[in-house]
Amino acid sequence: MRLQGEIAIVTGAGRGIGKEIALALAAEGASIAAVARTLSDLEQTVAEIKEAGGDAIALSRDLTDISQVQSMVDAVVEKYGKIDILVNNAGGYPKEIYDITKNQAIKIWDWSEEQWDQIIKTNLKIPFLCTNKVIPEMIKQKKGNIINISSRMGRIASQMGAYACAKAGIVTLTKTTAIQAQEYGIRCNAIAPTILDTPGQRAYNHSVGQDEIKMGNADCMGKAALYLICDAPEVMTGQVLDLFPTV
């Protein structure tokens, strides 16, 4: 129970990667604030945590809205008195960014402004807003741990347009946050996974005719998050943990 007494916010915790991380942190004793838009998904995550003897609350919020981000922070502080861990996982991409008729991602010159803005907002603005509102609470206690979820697509050249650009932005957001927050005892690192086997990813693969694509096991994300929080050296900050083959 290495995280006994710790309070963790996990965004996008209703399913997939966020759920895996929430369950892993809870298994080590952390109390979890599971946050996403869909309350029914969050309630399932919370139920599983409680069934295993853990503690969790579900908070339905639109995290693209700064007032709702502040409401999330206020609710967690009111319930638990502090915030020790923030996992910025919420994000994703719509099937419309892939042209199934041509079996390729939409070209950068064919993106609409609305598509671009929406994906940047979902994948880069949300982590910024959550970090912006959570760090002041961490500064009060002179400690904290932030984990941002990037992607393999943000680490190498990718066809995935705005999504890849947003996930690359996560890497720089991580490093900037680490530099600026380290004097307050706050660490910020990122995880960049390959394509993982989650219900959402399987549904996306099916929608674009790629059911055969090879995927990694999603439980690796919980293990990676625990490593960064519990096992990594205290001086490790501003780093990206790549979870994909390099050869």
Side-chain angles (χ1 to χ4, degrees):
M1 304 293 281
R2 294 175 292 174
L3 296 177
Q4 191 71 46
E6 298 282 285
I7 310 302
I9 293 175
V10 182
T11 69
R15 56 184 178 173
I17 289 172
K19 183 175 182 178
E20 292 287 345
I21 293 174
L23 294 174
L25 300 188
E28 288 289 345
S31 294
I32 306 297
V35 188
R37 290 190 183 189
T38 306
L39 185 59
S40 58
D41 289 342
L42 294 173
E43 289 175 337
Q44 180 60 39
T45 299
V46 168
E48 290 183 33
I49 290 172
K50 290 185 174 180
E51 285 170 9
D55 177 49
I57 58 172
L59 298 174
S60 175
R61 299 289 190 278
D62 176 1
L63 296 176
T64 65
D65 181 342
I66 194 168
S67 65
Q68 293 197 41
V69 175
Q70 184 63 63
S71 169
M72 170 195 74
V73 171
D74 292 343
V76 176
V77 173
E78 180 179 359
K79 170 70 174 177
Y80 295 111
K82 62 173 183 169
I83 301 169
D84 300 295
I85 299 164
L86 169 65
V87 180
N88 281 315
N89 166 71
Y93 48 86
K95 66 181 181 180
E96 289 78 14
I97 68 174
Y98 193 89
D99 187 343
I100 190 171
T101 64
K102 297 179 180 179
N103 193 30
Q104 64 182 18
I106 300 297
K107 300 300 186 184
I108 199 74
W109 51 88
D110 290 328
W111 279 69
S112 70
E113 180 180 7
E114 291 75 17
Q115 287 174 313
W116 181 275
D117 287 348
Q118 182 60 42
I119 291 178
I120 295 295
K121 180 168 66 173
T122 301
N123 292 282
L124 187 55
K125 182 179 180 180
I126 287 176
F128 159 70
L129 292 179
C130 291
T131 300
N132 177 269
K133 293 303 181 183
V134 167
I135 277 189
E137 296 299 325
M138 292 180 170
I139 288 174
K140 293 175 183 178
Q141 61 198 28
K142 300 295 183 182
K143 76 179 185 71
N145 229 307
I146 299 172
I147 298 176
N148 295 323
I149 306 304
S150 182
S151 168
R152 179 176 185 268
M153 295 179 191
R155 297 288 279 166
I156 61 176
S158 170
Q159 291 271 2
M160 299 302 283
Y163 180 77
C165 292
K167 289 301 187 178
I170 289 291
V171 173
T172 300
L173 175 64
T174 297
K175 293 180 179 294
T176 301
T177 303
I179 291 169
Q180 295 183 342
Q182 61 184 338
E183 66 178 289
Y184 302 104
I186 299 167
R187 293 193 297 130
C188 182
N189 292 291
I191 306 171
T194 186
I195 297 174
L196 299 177
D197 187 2
T198 66
Q201 186 64 53
R202 288 196 298 272
Y204 174 81
N205 292 351
H206 182 72
S207 72
V208 299
Q210 293 187 340
D211 293 291
E212 77 289 348
I213 195 168
K214 184 177 180 180
M215 298 184 288
N217 294 325
D219 64 356
C220 70
M221 294 299 290
K223 296 174 183 177
L226 285 174
Y227 167 74
L228 290 173
I229 296 168
C230 301
D231 300 320
E234 290 186 3
V235 295
M236 183 175 174
T237 189
Q239 304 303 306
V240 182
L241 191 59
D242 292 318
L243 299 184
F244 55 87
T246 56
V247 294

